Amino acid sequence: KLKDAYMMFANRGTCLLEMKRYRQALADAEMCVKCNPTWVLGHVLKGRAHQLLDQWSQVLKESVIAYDLEPTNETVLEMMRDCLFKHLGSDELQKSTFSGMSDSMGRAMEDPSLQK
């Protein structure tokens, strides 16, 4: 069943990241999220693949989705902090629009955990 395959895609995607096969890892992360869109670690994996591909607007997008699913997850908060504080001034992020995420971004930016 495709529904139960999310863990296989996550495990293989993690291995592919370790092997520096980032595009293939991203494809597996996308399948993982497709199979189980509410599993926060799938979004973390997808965000990590985007990070290693230097696609910061996508890292932020996945961070916000993961934050909405689990706002106290330290890995999610760290990924979001890294993206916002290290790369907020990049042209890619400034040109990107995150339709439908403004409420999530507002809540995330007010989160004391992100102020650390």
Side-chain angles (χ1 to χ4, degrees), residues 11 13 15-16 22 33 35-37 49 56 60 67 69 72 79 86 88 93 96 99 115:
N11 288 337
C15 291
L16 289 166
Y22 306 135
V33 168
C35 293
N36 190 348
W56 292 98
L60 184 57
Y67 179 83
L69 293 170
T72 59
M79 186 169 69
K86 291 182 182 178
L88 193 57
L93 284 178
S96 298
S99 60
Q115 307 295 322

Side-chain angles (χ1 to χ4, degrees), residues 16-31:
L16 289 166
L17 283 180
E18 291 296 317
M19 296 168 59
K20 298 184 183 345
R21 294 166 63 181
Y22 306 135
R23 293 201 185 284
Q24 291 172 309
L26 178 58
D28 274 2
E30 288 171 344
M31 285 302 297

Side-chain angles (χ1 to χ4, degrees), residues 66-110:
Y67 179 83
D68 276 346
L69 293 170
E70 197 174 315
T72 59
N73 184 305
E74 190 58 39
T75 302
V76 171
L77 295 171
E78 182 179 320
M79 186 169 69
M80 188 176 279
R81 273 193 301 266
D82 286 349
C83 187
L84 290 173
F85 295 124
K86 291 182 182 178
H87 302 281
L88 193 57
S90 76
D91 288 341
E92 180 186 357
L93 284 178
Q94 289 176 0
K95 291 176 186 172
S96 298
T97 57
F98 300 99
S99 60
M101 285 198 271
S102 59
D103 290 341
S104 298
M105 282 299 296
R107 284 194 319 276
M109 294 306 291
E110 292 173 5

Side-chain angles (χ1 to χ4, degrees), residues 24-58:
Q24 291 172 309
L26 178 58
D28 274 2
E30 288 171 344
M31 285 302 297
C32 175
V33 168
K34 182 178 179 181
C35 293
N36 190 348
T38 62
W39 191 49
V40 70
L41 294 181
H43 294 282
V44 170
L45 176 63
K46 192 173 172 185
R48 179 76 173 127
H50 281 299
Q51 181 180 8
L52 292 168
L53 290 166
D54 204 30
Q55 298 170 338
W56 292 98
S57 63
Q58 296 294 52

